[in-house]
Amino acid sequence: MLDNRSITGIDAHAHVFSQALTLAGERRYTPGYDATLADYLGHLHANGLSHGVLVQPSFLGTDNGYLLAALQQAPDQLRGVVVVDRDIPQHALQAMARAGVVGVRLNLVGRALPDFAEPGWKVFFEHIVALGWHVELHREVTDLPQLVRQLLPFGVKLVVDHFGRPDARLGVAQRGFADLLELGLSGQLWLKVSGIYRLAGSPAQNLEFARQAMPLLQQSFGLHRLVWGSDWPHTQHETSVDYRAVIEQRQALGWSAAVAQALLIDTPRQLFGFDHP
């Protein structure tokens, strides 16, 4: 078991990739640079963090090879979240679990919404539950509540990306976000306090939304269902955001020591399996 004192902070959302990799045919973004594991670990160290969760970027599709290789290089420090085909064999998922994978991502931004009533999904989610993994959801907040309601009966742990991707200009009472807060009471739902700069408003509007949302999220989800992530290397926002900037955004939220302990150490440690080598 990992000594809690060795964890100074867990970054629950980051990506590694190389522009030389074969990219998915259908993609919203093409990187023009490399985001290496060495660079990422350097950012963690420079900012007083010790561990991280690598998430498969959408533009690499279901080829998780680069992510899995990164996990092998720092198995104690890292966990992974992959993107896979629904009909992937169970033994392939089990092999990924042994490599440090703890979840699958459903990145549904810009895609048609799946029909989770199709029989194949039931089998897929049974495999996810058996492994103790979570399902990470990335979709704008207007569609998230209906997706969550469809997924809850499968018994999977659900992790919502980037505040649920609300529009900061519409405030915390906007359609979808209030529903998400209500669904947070289910006990099966976690949320990543990450990607503040992705909330569609100006930097000031985005930060103000995050400030107003935090006490509501704490009341709904509880500190044991919230985690923080850097979203490094901030794809599509690289010219205006860097690792130091997201640390400053986090600090601007004015967290107490108890909130920081929960979101940076206690909750991600349990959710992502850092208790287990």
Side-chain angles (χ1 to χ4, degrees):
M1 181 173 289
L2 199 63
D3 184 348
N4 192 50
R5 291 171 298 180
S6 68
I7 300 180
T8 58
I10 299 169
D11 176 356
H13 194 104
H15 310 284
V16 292
F17 52 81
S18 167
Q19 59 183 323
L21 296 169
T22 301
L23 304 182
E26 293 185 14
R27 59 185 184 272
R28 305 187 313 277
Y29 171 83
T30 300
Y33 59 94
D34 296 341
T36 69
L37 177 61
D39 287 340
Y40 177 59
L41 294 178
H43 286 303
L44 291 182
H45 180 73
N47 290 282
L49 303 169
S50 53
H51 295 71
V53 179
L54 301 180
V55 178
Q56 173 78 343
S58 61
F59 50 81
L60 291 182
T62 58
D63 182 356
N64 299 281
Y66 195 82
L67 183 151
L68 294 172
L71 296 183
Q72 290 179 342
Q73 294 178 60
D76 294 330
Q77 282 183 274
L78 301 173
R79 295 293 183 266
V81 177
V82 294
V83 175
V84 298
D85 293 321
R86 188 182 68 181
D87 59 352
I88 184 172
Q90 188 174 16
H91 67 82
L93 295 174
Q94 291 169 337
M96 291 181 180
R98 291 191 292 271
V101 172
V102 294
V104 294
R105 191 186 202 199
L106 297 181
N107 191 338
L108 304 176
V109 172
R111 296 179 176 271
L113 294 179
D115 179 5
F116 292 120
E118 294 176 358
W121 285 111
K122 183 176 185 293
V123 175
F124 177 73
F125 292 130
E126 285 175 348
H127 292 163
I128 300 305
V129 171
L131 289 167
W133 287 8
H134 68 271
V135 173
E136 182 178 309
L137 281 174
H138 187 208
R139 180 76 177 196
E140 291 84 2
V141 78
T142 51
D143 294 318
L144 269 177
Q146 62 167 304
L147 290 169
V148 170
R149 290 187 184 103
Q150 291 177 55
L151 289 169
L152 285 176
F154 291 106
V156 292
K157 295 181 289 188
L158 300 175
V159 180
V160 173
D161 267 353
H162 306 328
F163 284 89
R165 291 298 297 266
D167 186 331
R169 297 167 295 184
L170 302 179
V172 294
Q174 67 188 272
R175 186 172 70 88
F177 191 72
D179 293 334
L180 190 62
L181 291 173
E182 183 178 344
L183 288 165
L185 299 169
S186 70
Q188 283 179 241
L189 202 60
W190 283 254
L191 182 136
K192 289 187 177 181
V193 176
S194 58
I196 290 175
Y197 51 87
R198 296 190 187 276
L199 303 186
S202 67
Q205 288 171 323
N206 292 339
L207 187 57
E208 181 57 26
F209 179 93
R211 284 197 182 107
Q212 293 184 23
M214 276 303 301
L216 300 175
L217 292 168
Q218 290 179 51
Q219 182 178 5
S220 173
F221 286 74
L223 293 179
H224 61 297
R225 295 279 188 270
L226 300 174
V227 296
W228 173 85
S230 69
D231 194 29
W232 184 82
H234 327 293
T235 55
Q236 302 182 58
H237 294 263
E238 302 92 342
T239 58
S240 58
V241 180
D242 58 18
Y243 209 104
R244 189 60 211 165
V246 296
I247 294 290
E248 290 172 353
Q249 286 179 335
R250 190 189 80 206
Q251 293 169 339
L253 297 178
W255 290 355
S256 67
V259 171
Q261 175 72 25
L263 270 68
L264 296 178
I265 298 178
D266 295 342
T267 301
R269 180 188 184 200
Q270 183 175 26
L271 175 62
F272 302 114
F274 283 103
D275 282 332
H276 310 289

